[in-house]
Structure formats: structure tokens, C-alpha cells
Amino acid sequence: MDDRALGDGDDGVSALRHRTIRFGLVVAALALGWQAFVAVSAPRRVDAALAAQLAGGGYVNVAVTLGFTPEDFHIRVFQAHGVVSGVRGTTVLLDRVTADDVRRISRYYWIERITAQRSPS
């Protein structure tokens, strides 16, 4: 037998040459890159004064600013994290939000800024 049909066992094809493996690696790299971007950019969206207030624990009332007018989808997302008390232009007022929920909200790429709500005067 000359081993041409079956090969000699060392055909030189590495796992990286396989199209599916390369595709999987590219997808994994993109997913990791996205998670890294979100992890780095999320803390910058939270106002420093609010971050200090969150360290104390408990609930806070926040104003979440988007880069556009929020739609029903965005309001429903916020309702999963706290009580939506109003919308003013591109800002959603959200009451009774925990520190963990503020961190979760800050990971949405479409959020521009999260600040503490100003008390009405």
C-alpha cells in the first residue's frame, strides 16, 4: 500500500488551517474585544459623585442620559433595573436603583451618562 489515499498520518494540516477553527477564533476574539471595550468604558459613564454615593449601598435615584430620545424598548430595559419616574428629552429618570443595577446599566453601549437625580427645588 502506498498511503496516498489514506495519507501517511502527518498531512501537515494544523487546526488553525481549518476554516471553522479560524472562524471560531475570530468570533471569540471579537466577543472578547467587545467585552473589554464595555468593561473599560462603563465606569466612565457613571458620574464620580454618583459612584461615591453608590459605595454607601442602598438605593439611589439616577438620571440616565442617552444619545437619542428613548423609545419603548429602552424604557422596558430600565424598568428591569428600577422604577421609571419620567423622561425629559434624552434623559430617563430612574428611581430605587441598586449599585449593581447602575453598573449593569452603565454597560449598555447606548448610555452616555448616569448621574444622581437632582432634588426638585
Side-chain angles (χ1 to χ4, degrees):
M1 197 155 155
D2 62 4
D3 291 328
R4 286 187 298 175
L6 298 175
D8 58 1
D10 184 26
D11 58 351
V13 177
S14 71
L16 293 178
R17 287 187 182 179
H18 198 274
R19 183 182 310 174
T20 305
I21 299 296
R22 283 193 315 239
F23 177 76
L25 290 173
V26 167
V27 169
L30 289 173
L32 287 173
W34 178 255
Q35 290 302 318
F37 164 74
V38 170
V40 169
S41 65
R44 286 185 274 166
R45 293 185 181 108
V46 178
D47 185 53
L50 176 60
Q53 188 177 356
L54 292 173
Y59 293 100
V60 294
N61 297 337
V62 296
V64 183
T65 304
L66 287 65
F68 49 86
T69 304
E71 297 182 7
D72 186 50
F73 164 79
H74 305 101
I75 301 302
R76 289 178 189 267
V77 168
F78 292 135
Q79 285 175 338
H81 299 289
V83 178
V84 175
S85 62
V87 177
R88 294 191 185 129
T90 61
T91 301
V92 178
L93 304 176
L94 198 56
D95 297 340
R96 296 193 48 81
V97 184
T98 64
D100 286 338
D101 282 326
V102 170
R103 282 189 272 289
R104 285 185 192 105
I105 292 169
S106 70
R107 291 180 61 87
Y108 295 123
Y109 71 93
W110 35 270
I111 301 295
E112 284 191 354
R113 196 87 181 129
I114 303 174
T115 59
Q117 283 188 29
R118 288 188 234 155
S119 55
S121 322

